[in-house]
Short mmCIF file of all heavy atoms in Angstrom, two decimals:
data_model
loop_
_atom_site.label_atom_id
_atom_site.label_comp_id
_atom_site.label_asym_id
_atom_site.label_seq_id
_atom_site.Cartn_x
_atom_site.Cartn_y
_atom_site.Cartn_z
N TYR D 1 0.81 -1.22 0.00
CA TYR D 1 0.00 0.00 0.00
C TYR D 1 0.85 1.27 0.00
O TYR D 1 0.31 2.37 -0.06
CB TYR D 1 -0.94 0.01 1.21
CG TYR D 1 -1.90 -1.16 1.22
CD1 TYR D 1 -1.71 -2.23 2.09
CD2 TYR D 1 -2.97 -1.20 0.35
CE1 TYR D 1 -2.58 -3.31 2.08
CE2 TYR D 1 -3.84 -2.28 0.33
CZ TYR D 1 -3.64 -3.33 1.21
OH TYR D 1 -4.50 -4.40 1.20
N GLY D 2 2.17 1.10 0.06
CA GLY D 2 3.05 2.27 0.04
C GLY D 2 3.43 2.71 -1.36
O GLY D 2 4.20 3.65 -1.53
N ILE D 3 2.88 2.05 -2.40
CA ILE D 3 3.20 2.41 -3.78
C ILE D 3 2.60 3.78 -4.10
O ILE D 3 1.48 4.09 -3.72
CB ILE D 3 2.65 1.35 -4.76
CG1 ILE D 3 3.30 -0.01 -4.47
CG2 ILE D 3 2.91 1.75 -6.20
CD1 ILE D 3 2.72 -1.13 -5.30
N SER D 4 3.39 4.60 -4.82
CA SER D 4 2.93 5.93 -5.19
C SER D 4 1.65 5.86 -6.01
O SER D 4 1.47 4.99 -6.86
CB SER D 4 4.02 6.64 -6.00
OG SER D 4 3.54 7.87 -6.52
N LYS D 5 0.75 6.80 -5.76
CA LYS D 5 -0.52 6.86 -6.50
C LYS D 5 -0.30 7.19 -7.97
O LYS D 5 -1.16 6.96 -8.81
CB LYS D 5 -1.43 7.92 -5.87
CG LYS D 5 -1.77 7.67 -4.40
CD LYS D 5 -2.61 6.42 -4.21
CE LYS D 5 -3.01 6.26 -2.75
NZ LYS D 5 -3.82 5.03 -2.53
N GLN D 6 0.88 7.73 -8.29
CA GLN D 6 1.18 8.10 -9.67
C GLN D 6 1.48 6.88 -10.54
O GLN D 6 1.45 6.98 -11.77
CB GLN D 6 2.36 9.06 -9.71
CG GLN D 6 2.10 10.38 -8.98
CD GLN D 6 3.32 11.28 -8.98
OE1 GLN D 6 4.42 10.87 -9.36
NE2 GLN D 6 3.13 12.51 -8.55
N LEU D 7 1.78 5.74 -9.92
CA LEU D 7 2.12 4.54 -10.67
C LEU D 7 0.85 3.76 -11.00
O LEU D 7 -0.03 3.60 -10.16
CB LEU D 7 3.08 3.67 -9.87
CG LEU D 7 4.41 4.33 -9.49
CD1 LEU D 7 5.28 3.36 -8.70
CD2 LEU D 7 5.15 4.81 -10.72
N GLY D 8 0.79 3.27 -12.24
CA GLY D 8 -0.41 2.59 -12.70
C GLY D 8 -0.38 1.09 -12.50
O GLY D 8 0.45 0.54 -11.75
N THR D 9 -1.27 0.41 -13.21
CA THR D 9 -1.42 -1.03 -13.06
C THR D 9 -0.18 -1.79 -13.49
O THR D 9 0.18 -2.81 -12.88
CB THR D 9 -2.64 -1.52 -13.88
OG1 THR D 9 -3.79 -0.77 -13.49
CG2 THR D 9 -2.90 -2.99 -13.64
N ARG D 10 0.48 -1.34 -14.55
CA ARG D 10 1.69 -2.03 -15.01
C ARG D 10 2.76 -2.06 -13.93
O ARG D 10 3.40 -3.09 -13.70
CB ARG D 10 2.25 -1.36 -16.28
CG ARG D 10 1.50 -1.71 -17.55
CD ARG D 10 2.27 -1.23 -18.78
NE ARG D 10 1.57 -1.57 -20.00
CZ ARG D 10 0.68 -0.77 -20.59
NH1 ARG D 10 0.39 0.41 -20.04
NH2 ARG D 10 0.08 -1.15 -21.70
N HIS D 11 2.96 -0.93 -13.28
CA HIS D 11 3.99 -0.87 -12.23
C HIS D 11 3.60 -1.73 -11.02
O HIS D 11 4.44 -2.40 -10.42
CB HIS D 11 4.22 0.58 -11.80
CG HIS D 11 4.81 1.44 -12.89
ND1 HIS D 11 4.03 2.05 -13.83
CD2 HIS D 11 6.10 1.77 -13.18
CE1 HIS D 11 4.81 2.75 -14.66
NE2 HIS D 11 6.06 2.59 -14.28
N ARG D 12 2.32 -1.71 -10.68
CA ARG D 12 1.87 -2.53 -9.55
C ARG D 12 1.99 -4.02 -9.89
O ARG D 12 2.34 -4.84 -9.05
CB ARG D 12 0.41 -2.19 -9.20
CG ARG D 12 -0.10 -2.87 -7.94
CD ARG D 12 -1.49 -2.37 -7.60
NE ARG D 12 -1.45 -1.01 -7.12
CZ ARG D 12 -1.22 -0.67 -5.86
NH1 ARG D 12 -0.98 -1.61 -4.96
NH2 ARG D 12 -1.21 0.59 -5.49
N ALA D 13 1.74 -4.37 -11.15
CA ALA D 13 1.89 -5.75 -11.58
C ALA D 13 3.36 -6.17 -11.60
O ALA D 13 3.70 -7.30 -11.25
CB ALA D 13 1.28 -5.93 -12.97
N SER D 14 4.24 -5.26 -12.01
CA SER D 14 5.67 -5.58 -12.02
C SER D 14 6.18 -5.83 -10.61
O SER D 14 6.96 -6.75 -10.37
CB SER D 14 6.46 -4.44 -12.67
OG SER D 14 6.45 -3.27 -11.87
N LEU D 15 5.72 -5.03 -9.66
CA LEU D 15 6.11 -5.24 -8.26
C LEU D 15 5.57 -6.56 -7.73
O LEU D 15 6.27 -7.31 -7.04
CB LEU D 15 5.61 -4.08 -7.40
CG LEU D 15 6.53 -2.87 -7.25
CD1 LEU D 15 5.84 -1.76 -6.49
CD2 LEU D 15 7.82 -3.26 -6.58
N GLY D 16 4.30 -6.85 -8.06
CA GLY D 16 3.71 -8.11 -7.61
C GLY D 16 4.46 -9.31 -8.13
O GLY D 16 4.68 -10.28 -7.41
N MET D 17 4.89 -9.25 -9.40
CA MET D 17 5.64 -10.36 -9.99
C MET D 17 7.01 -10.51 -9.32
O MET D 17 7.47 -11.62 -9.05
CB MET D 17 5.82 -10.11 -11.49
CG MET D 17 6.39 -11.29 -12.26
SD MET D 17 5.19 -12.63 -12.51
CE MET D 17 5.57 -13.73 -11.15
N SER D 18 7.66 -9.38 -9.04
CA SER D 18 8.98 -9.44 -8.41
C SER D 18 8.91 -9.86 -6.95
O SER D 18 9.88 -10.39 -6.41
CB SER D 18 9.68 -8.07 -8.52
OG SER D 18 9.02 -7.09 -7.73
N GLU D 19 7.76 -9.64 -6.31
CA GLU D 19 7.58 -10.07 -4.92
C GLU D 19 7.37 -11.58 -4.82
O GLU D 19 7.70 -12.19 -3.81
CB GLU D 19 6.38 -9.35 -4.29
CG GLU D 19 6.61 -7.87 -4.04
CD GLU D 19 5.34 -7.14 -3.66
OE1 GLU D 19 4.26 -7.75 -3.73
OE2 GLU D 19 5.42 -5.95 -3.32
N ASN D 20 6.82 -12.17 -5.89
CA ASN D 20 6.49 -13.59 -5.86
C ASN D 20 7.48 -14.46 -6.63
O ASN D 20 7.27 -15.67 -6.74
CB ASN D 20 5.09 -13.81 -6.45
CG ASN D 20 3.99 -13.28 -5.54
OD1 ASN D 20 3.59 -13.93 -4.59
ND2 ASN D 20 3.53 -12.07 -5.81
N SER D 21 8.55 -13.88 -7.16
CA SER D 21 9.54 -14.65 -7.91
C SER D 21 10.85 -13.88 -7.94
O SER D 21 10.95 -12.76 -7.43
CB SER D 21 9.05 -14.92 -9.34
OG SER D 21 9.08 -13.73 -10.09
N ASP D 22 11.87 -14.49 -8.55
CA ASP D 22 13.15 -13.81 -8.71
C ASP D 22 13.29 -13.19 -10.10
O ASP D 22 14.39 -12.88 -10.54
CB ASP D 22 14.31 -14.77 -8.45
CG ASP D 22 14.31 -15.94 -9.44
OD1 ASP D 22 13.30 -16.15 -10.12
OD2 ASP D 22 15.33 -16.65 -9.50
N ALA D 23 12.17 -13.01 -10.79
CA ALA D 23 12.18 -12.46 -12.15
C ALA D 23 12.63 -11.00 -12.14
O ALA D 23 12.49 -10.28 -11.16
CB ALA D 23 10.80 -12.59 -12.78
N ILE D 24 13.19 -10.59 -13.29
CA ILE D 24 13.49 -9.18 -13.54
C ILE D 24 12.38 -8.65 -14.44
O ILE D 24 12.13 -9.20 -15.52
CB ILE D 24 14.85 -9.01 -14.22
CG1 ILE D 24 15.97 -9.57 -13.33
CG2 ILE D 24 15.13 -7.54 -14.53
CD1 ILE D 24 17.34 -9.57 -13.98
N VAL D 25 11.70 -7.60 -14.01
CA VAL D 25 10.53 -7.09 -14.73
C VAL D 25 10.82 -5.68 -15.24
O VAL D 25 11.14 -4.79 -14.46
CB VAL D 25 9.28 -7.09 -13.84
CG1 VAL D 25 8.04 -6.77 -14.68
CG2 VAL D 25 9.11 -8.43 -13.13
N LEU D 26 10.70 -5.51 -16.56
CA LEU D 26 10.90 -4.21 -17.20
C LEU D 26 9.55 -3.57 -17.48
O LEU D 26 8.64 -4.23 -17.97
CB LEU D 26 11.68 -4.37 -18.51
CG LEU D 26 13.03 -5.08 -18.44
CD1 LEU D 26 13.63 -5.20 -19.82
CD2 LEU D 26 13.98 -4.36 -17.52
N VAL D 27 9.45 -2.28 -17.21
CA VAL D 27 8.20 -1.55 -17.43
C VAL D 27 8.49 -0.27 -18.20
O VAL D 27 9.43 0.46 -17.86
CB VAL D 27 7.49 -1.18 -16.11
CG1 VAL D 27 6.12 -0.59 -16.37
CG2 VAL D 27 7.39 -2.38 -15.19
N VAL D 28 7.70 0.00 -19.22
CA VAL D 28 7.74 1.29 -19.91
C VAL D 28 6.40 1.97 -19.67
O VAL D 28 5.34 1.41 -19.98
CB VAL D 28 7.98 1.13 -21.43
CG1 VAL D 28 7.98 2.50 -22.11
CG2 VAL D 28 9.30 0.42 -21.69
N SER D 29 6.44 3.16 -19.09
CA SER D 29 5.22 3.88 -18.74
C SER D 29 4.53 4.40 -19.98
O SER D 29 5.16 4.99 -20.87
CB SER D 29 5.54 5.03 -17.79
OG SER D 29 4.40 5.83 -17.57
N GLU D 30 3.21 4.22 -20.04
CA GLU D 30 2.42 4.71 -21.16
C GLU D 30 2.19 6.20 -21.06
O GLU D 30 1.96 6.88 -22.07
CB GLU D 30 1.08 3.96 -21.18
CG GLU D 30 0.28 4.15 -22.46
CD GLU D 30 -0.95 3.27 -22.49
OE1 GLU D 30 -1.40 2.83 -21.40
OE2 GLU D 30 -1.47 3.02 -23.59
N GLU D 31 2.26 6.76 -19.84
CA GLU D 31 2.03 8.19 -19.64
C GLU D 31 3.29 9.02 -19.84
O GLU D 31 3.24 10.11 -20.42
CB GLU D 31 1.48 8.44 -18.23
CG GLU D 31 0.06 7.98 -18.01
CD GLU D 31 -0.05 6.46 -17.86
OE1 GLU D 31 0.98 5.83 -17.53
OE2 GLU D 31 -1.14 5.92 -18.09
N THR D 32 4.44 8.52 -19.35
CA THR D 32 5.66 9.32 -19.37
C THR D 32 6.77 8.74 -20.24
O THR D 32 7.72 9.44 -20.57
CB THR D 32 6.21 9.49 -17.94
OG1 THR D 32 6.55 8.19 -17.41
CG2 THR D 32 5.17 10.13 -17.04
N GLY D 33 6.68 7.45 -20.58
CA GLY D 33 7.75 6.81 -21.33
C GLY D 33 8.95 6.42 -20.48
O GLY D 33 9.96 5.95 -21.00
N VAL D 34 8.84 6.59 -19.16
CA VAL D 34 9.94 6.27 -18.26
C VAL D 34 10.13 4.76 -18.17
O VAL D 34 9.15 4.01 -18.08
CB VAL D 34 9.68 6.85 -16.86
CG1 VAL D 34 10.70 6.34 -15.85
CG2 VAL D 34 9.72 8.37 -16.91
N ILE D 35 11.39 4.32 -18.20
CA ILE D 35 11.72 2.89 -18.10
C ILE D 35 12.01 2.56 -16.64
O ILE D 35 12.82 3.24 -15.98
CB ILE D 35 12.94 2.55 -18.97
CG1 ILE D 35 12.67 2.91 -20.43
CG2 ILE D 35 13.29 1.07 -18.84
CD1 ILE D 35 13.90 2.80 -21.32
N SER D 36 11.36 1.52 -16.12
CA SER D 36 11.55 1.10 -14.73
C SER D 36 11.87 -0.38 -14.69
O SER D 36 11.57 -1.13 -15.62
CB SER D 36 10.30 1.38 -13.89
OG SER D 36 9.89 2.72 -14.00
N ILE D 37 12.52 -0.80 -13.59
CA ILE D 37 12.85 -2.21 -13.37
C ILE D 37 12.43 -2.60 -11.96
O ILE D 37 12.74 -1.90 -10.99
CB ILE D 37 14.35 -2.49 -13.56
CG1 ILE D 37 14.75 -2.27 -15.02
CG2 ILE D 37 14.69 -3.92 -13.14
CD1 ILE D 37 16.22 -2.54 -15.30
N ALA D 38 11.70 -3.72 -11.85
CA ALA D 38 11.29 -4.25 -10.55
C ALA D 38 12.07 -5.54 -10.29
O ALA D 38 12.09 -6.44 -11.14
CB ALA D 38 9.79 -4.53 -10.53
N ARG D 39 12.68 -5.61 -9.11
CA ARG D 39 13.44 -6.79 -8.69
C ARG D 39 13.29 -6.97 -7.19
O ARG D 39 13.42 -6.01 -6.43
CB ARG D 39 14.94 -6.66 -9.02
CG ARG D 39 15.29 -6.58 -10.48
CD ARG D 39 16.77 -6.30 -10.66
NE ARG D 39 17.58 -7.38 -10.12
CZ ARG D 39 18.87 -7.26 -9.80
NH1 ARG D 39 19.48 -6.09 -9.91
NH2 ARG D 39 19.55 -8.28 -9.34
N ASP D 40 13.01 -8.21 -6.78
CA ASP D 40 12.94 -8.53 -5.34
C ASP D 40 12.01 -7.58 -4.58
O ASP D 40 12.31 -7.16 -3.47
CB ASP D 40 14.34 -8.50 -4.71
CG ASP D 40 15.26 -9.52 -5.36
OD1 ASP D 40 14.80 -10.62 -5.70
OD2 ASP D 40 16.46 -9.21 -5.54
N GLY D 41 10.89 -7.21 -5.21
CA GLY D 41 9.92 -6.36 -4.54
C GLY D 41 10.29 -4.90 -4.47
O GLY D 41 9.66 -4.13 -3.73
N VAL D 42 11.30 -4.48 -5.23
CA VAL D 42 11.74 -3.07 -5.24
C VAL D 42 11.66 -2.55 -6.67
O VAL D 42 12.16 -3.19 -7.60
CB VAL D 42 13.18 -2.92 -4.71
CG1 VAL D 42 13.62 -1.46 -4.79
CG2 VAL D 42 13.27 -3.44 -3.28
N LEU D 43 11.05 -1.38 -6.85
CA LEU D 43 10.92 -0.76 -8.17
C LEU D 43 11.84 0.45 -8.26
O LEU D 43 11.78 1.35 -7.42
CB LEU D 43 9.46 -0.33 -8.40
CG LEU D 43 9.18 0.33 -9.76
CD1 LEU D 43 9.23 -0.71 -10.87
CD2 LEU D 43 7.81 1.01 -9.74
N LYS D 44 12.69 0.46 -9.29
CA LYS D 44 13.57 1.60 -9.54
C LYS D 44 13.24 2.16 -10.92
O LYS D 44 13.07 1.41 -11.87
CB LYS D 44 15.04 1.17 -9.47
CG LYS D 44 15.47 0.73 -8.08
CD LYS D 44 16.96 0.41 -8.02
CE LYS D 44 17.37 0.00 -6.62
NZ LYS D 44 18.82 -0.31 -6.54
N ARG D 45 13.20 3.48 -11.00
CA ARG D 45 12.75 4.15 -12.22
C ARG D 45 13.89 4.92 -12.90
O ARG D 45 15.00 5.00 -12.41
CB ARG D 45 11.61 5.11 -11.89
CG ARG D 45 10.46 4.48 -11.10
CD ARG D 45 9.35 5.46 -10.88
NE ARG D 45 8.68 5.80 -12.13
CZ ARG D 45 7.88 6.86 -12.28
NH1 ARG D 45 7.64 7.65 -11.24
NH2 ARG D 45 7.30 7.10 -13.43
N ASN D 46 13.54 5.47 -14.09
CA ASN D 46 14.43 6.33 -14.86
C ASN D 46 15.70 5.63 -15.32
O ASN D 46 16.80 6.16 -15.19
CB ASN D 46 14.78 7.59 -14.05
CG ASN D 46 13.58 8.45 -13.75
OD1 ASN D 46 12.88 8.91 -14.64
ND2 ASN D 46 13.30 8.63 -12.47
N TYR D 47 15.55 4.44 -15.85
CA TYR D 47 16.68 3.75 -16.47
C TYR D 47 16.79 4.19 -17.93
O TYR D 47 15.82 4.62 -18.55
CB TYR D 47 16.47 2.23 -16.44
CG TYR D 47 16.82 1.58 -15.12
CD1 TYR D 47 15.87 1.51 -14.10
CD2 TYR D 47 18.07 1.02 -14.90
CE1 TYR D 47 16.18 0.91 -12.89
CE2 TYR D 47 18.38 0.41 -13.70
CZ TYR D 47 17.43 0.36 -12.70
OH TYR D 47 17.74 -0.24 -11.50
N THR D 48 17.99 4.06 -18.46
CA THR D 48 18.21 4.24 -19.89
C THR D 48 18.42 2.86 -20.51
O THR D 48 18.76 1.91 -19.80
CB THR D 48 19.44 5.11 -20.15
OG1 THR D 48 20.62 4.41 -19.70
CG2 THR D 48 19.33 6.44 -19.41
#
């Protein structure tokens, strides 16, 4: 419930997948085009 309200369903799904597995999840935002990576339940943004 601590996820920012600015993040949409894709980001919440990427976090959920990383919380339940060791997968690396890549997300491209439809609103901003920002590239994010979710790993081990942690989401980091603004990758190139």
